[in-house]
């Protein structure tokens, strides 16, 4: 997307136990949502413990409306934009949980939104 920048700050040494294509789908969904809501920069960060990898996905967009926050991971109810189905984040949560992890909204303000993902370490 023109005018949209992804800042990948994840160390190459961090490895998760996940299906590459499915994890890409989750990360791509977050990037697409951020871009469609007006963000210009999306930053990925990650930290690993002995058993877990925590991934932070932060954007510089206008934040999520309260109604969208309330229903964020509910199919057909959590869309933050007109015409959206609300399926993207519901599917993302299903994928993350199927891998033994999860996804959650950490914060959303007028200066950006942060999602936190967790996955088992490979």
């Amino acid at each position: 997307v023109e005018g949209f920048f992804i800042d990948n700050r994840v160390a190459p040494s961090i490895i998760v136990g996940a299906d590459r294509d499915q994890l890409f789908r989750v990360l791509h969904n977050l990037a697409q949502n951020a871009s469609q809501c007006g963000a210009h920069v999306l930053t990925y960060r990650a930290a690993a413990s002995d058993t877990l990898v925590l991934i932070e996905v932060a954007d510089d967009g206008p934040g999520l409306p309260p109604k969208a926050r309330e229903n964020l991971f509910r199919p057909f109810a959590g869309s933050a934009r007109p015409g959206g189905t609300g399926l993207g984040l519901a599917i993302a949560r299903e994928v993350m949980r199927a891998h033994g992890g999860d996804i959650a909204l950490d914060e959303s303000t007028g200066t950006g939104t942060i999602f936190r993902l967790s996955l088992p370490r490979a």
Side-chain angles (χ1 to χ4, degrees):
V1 178
E2 188 174 323
F4 189 74
F5 178 74
I6 293 180
D7 183 7
N8 181 3
R9 297 186 183 187
V10 178
S13 61
I14 294 182
I15 300 173
V16 297
D19 179 277
R20 178 186 178 121
D21 292 335
Q22 290 183 2
L23 182 57
F24 174 82
R25 182 177 181 182
V26 170
L27 297 174
H28 182 264
N29 176 266
L30 291 170
Q32 188 173 26
N33 287 351
S35 173
Q36 290 172 347
C37 289
H40 299 287
V41 178
L42 186 73
T43 303
Y44 293 111
R45 294 180 180 89
S49 70
D50 289 341
T51 59
L52 197 64
V53 173
L54 295 175
I55 303 167
E56 178 184 279
V57 181
D59 70 49
D60 67 344
L64 296 167
K67 182 180 182 271
R69 281 185 241 159
E70 293 169 14
N71 299 304
L72 205 53
F73 298 102
R74 289 186 46 221
F76 306 108
S79 182
R81 63 183 175 82
T85 63
L87 282 175
L89 288 175
I91 292 170
R93 175 167 270 173
E94 186 177 306
V95 167
M96 295 301 292
R97 288 182 172 175
H99 283 84
D102 207 350
I103 180 173
L105 176 66
D106 186 48
E107 72 178 58
S108 187
T109 66
T111 58
T113 298
I114 301 173
F115 284 90
R116 294 217 189 272
L117 292 70
S118 62
L119 285 166
R121 189 162 180 176

